[in-house]
Amino acid sequence: MQAKDRIILALDVDTEKQALSLVEQLSPTIGVFKVGMQLYNSCGPQIVEKINQTGGKVFVDLKFHDIPNTVAAAGKVLTRLGCYMFNIHAAGGREMMNQLVKGVYEEAKLNNISPPLTLAVTVLTSISQSQLENDMFIKDKSVEETVVEWARMAQECGINGVVCSPQEITAIRNACGRDFKIVTPGIRPSWSAANDQKRITTPKEAVTMGADYMVIGRPITVADNPQAAALRIIEELEG
Ligand code: C5P
C-alpha cells in the first residue's frame, strides 16, 4: 500500500466549510478522511458525498452498537452513501456483526458498488483495567486479552478489521493474521505536539508494528502548513 493511502485524516471540525477546505487542500496528499460524531451530527450524511466529490474516501466513525436489525440497516445506508470504511462496537455481539456483514454485501451487490470496509472497536482505549473490571464487569481478563478475543470474534463474523491502540497492534496481528485490517490512532510524528494523547507512536513505528492505516488529526490539521506536514509524514513513511 502507498504511504498516502495509509493516512486517515481526522476531520474533527464543526462545519462543512472547514471540513471541505481541509479535504480540498489535502486530497492530493491523503487518501482517507474521517468523519466522526462531531462533523456527522453537524452536517448530516451529505458530508460523505461531498468529500467523495472533492476527491477523498471517507471513514465514517460513528461506532454503531444496537440490535442486529438496526445496525444492519444503518450499514446498508452507509454502503449506498459510498462510504469507504465504517465502524461498530464488537460488544454488540456476533449476531449484530453477522447481520451487518450480510447487509453490507447484499446492498453493495444490489447497487453494483464496492462494499465498504467494516471495522470493529473492541475495548475503547480510554478504558483502563480497573474500569474494565468495575464498570464493565469483565473481571477475569486483562484489557489486552479482551481486545484480542473481541477482534477474533469480529473476524469470525466477517468484519474486515479493527480500530485499536498502537499498544495492541502486535497481539491482534498475531491473533488475526496479515489480511485483517488494523487502524490505529494515537499517532504523533517526533516533531509534533502530543496534545492530549498519552501513549503516542510515530507513523513509522505504527507501520513497522503492523498497522495498515493511521488516524492522524492535529499534527496535520493545526500545522502552519497542513500539506507540508502531510508530505513530511509521507516522506518519513517512505524513507
Ligand atoms: O488530533 P489527533 O491526531 O489526536 O486525532 C485523533 C483522532 O482519532 C480523533 O478523531 C480521535 O477521536 C480519534 N481516536 C483517538 N483515540 C482513540 C480512538 C479514536 O484519538 N482511542
Side-chain angles (χ1 to χ4, degrees), residues 8-12 34-36 38 59 61 63 87 121 123-127 163-166 168 183-189 193-197 200 214-222:
I8 300 173
L9 186 81
L11 292 173
D12 293 327
K34 181 169 86 72
V35 175
Q38 180 186 1
F59 171 13
D61 178 17
K63 302 185 182 69
N87 54 11
V121 173
V123 182
L124 288 169
T125 56
S126 52
I127 297 287
V163 184
C164 70
S165 139
E168 296 155 356
V183 178
T184 187
I187 300 296
R188 288 292 177 270
N195 313 112
D196 53 354
Q197 296 282 6
I200 54 179
M214 287 158 286
V215 177
I216 308 180
R218 288 161 293 179
I220 296 173
T221 55
V222 304

Side-chain angles (χ1 to χ4, degrees), residues 11-32:
L11 292 173
D12 293 327
V13 293
D14 275 330
T15 67
E16 182 181 303
K17 194 167 172 233
Q18 289 169 296
L20 293 182
S21 156
L22 282 164
V23 178
E24 267 162 33
Q25 279 181 73
L26 291 162
S27 57
T29 325
I30 286 178
V32 188

